[in-house]
């Protein structure tokens, strides 16, 4: 039988100190804090990419998306558009067409 201060296991050579659990406060559950930190880190990376994209694709006084051929009045609208499914779908489609055109010209 186990006695306080002894290690765990058949040979009593296992862990002696109790295993500490971090992030199990309240009703969050185990591992929730780590998942939230990872999600926050990923969201921050996406936001930084959007900000960089906005800086690269905007002109000082206008917010026009050449990919989608759409004009926006504010940087917030434009930023929202750049992170939208519609914009990324059109961008991927344009890249796909360019790649296909490149392959066709290489074959000829």
């Amino acid at each position: 039988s186990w006695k306080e201060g002894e290690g765990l296991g058949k040979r009593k050579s296992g862990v002696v100190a109790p295993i500490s659990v971090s992030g199990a406060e309240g009703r969050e559950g185990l591992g929730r804090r780590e998942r939230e930190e990872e999600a926050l880190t990923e969201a921050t990376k996406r936001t930084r990419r959007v900000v960089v994209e906005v800086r690269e694709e905007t002109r000082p006084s206008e917010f026009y998306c050449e990919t989608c051929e759409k004009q926006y009045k504010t940087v917030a609208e434009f930023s929202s558009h750049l992170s939208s499914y519609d914009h990324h779908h059109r961008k991927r489609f344009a890249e796909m067409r360019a790649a296909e055109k490149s392959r066709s010209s290489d074959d000829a």
Side-chain angles (χ1 to χ4, degrees), residues 76-87:
E77 289 175 347
F78 188 59
S79 178
S80 176
H81 165 72
L82 290 178
S83 61
S84 71
Y85 174 81
D86 182 50
H87 173 75

Side-chain angles (χ1 to χ4, degrees), residues 16-94:
V16 176
I19 298 171
S20 64
V21 179
S22 64
E25 301 161 4
R27 298 181 61 145
E28 291 179 349
L30 298 174
R32 169 103 186 237
R33 181 172 291 150
E34 288 82 12
R35 285 194 309 271
E36 286 178 350
E37 287 174 3
E38 289 170 8
L40 181 61
T41 301
E42 185 58 34
T44 303
K45 287 178 185 176
R46 282 194 308 270
T47 301
R48 287 183 183 148
R49 281 194 297 263
V50 168
V51 169
V52 168
E53 214 172 319
V54 168
R55 286 184 187 147
E56 291 174 353
E57 294 185 19
T58 61
R59 296 178 206 134
S61 62
E62 59 185 330
F63 304 103
Y64 181 74
C65 177
E66 292 180 24
T67 304
C68 302
E69 299 177 343
K70 292 182 181 179
Q71 179 72 44
Y72 296 92
K73 293 180 183 178
T74 66
V75 71
E77 289 175 347
F78 188 59
S79 178
S80 176
H81 165 72
L82 290 178
S83 61
S84 71
Y85 174 81
D86 182 50
H87 173 75
H88 288 287
H89 177 72
R90 288 176 188 257
K91 190 174 178 181
R92 285 191 306 269
F93 188 72

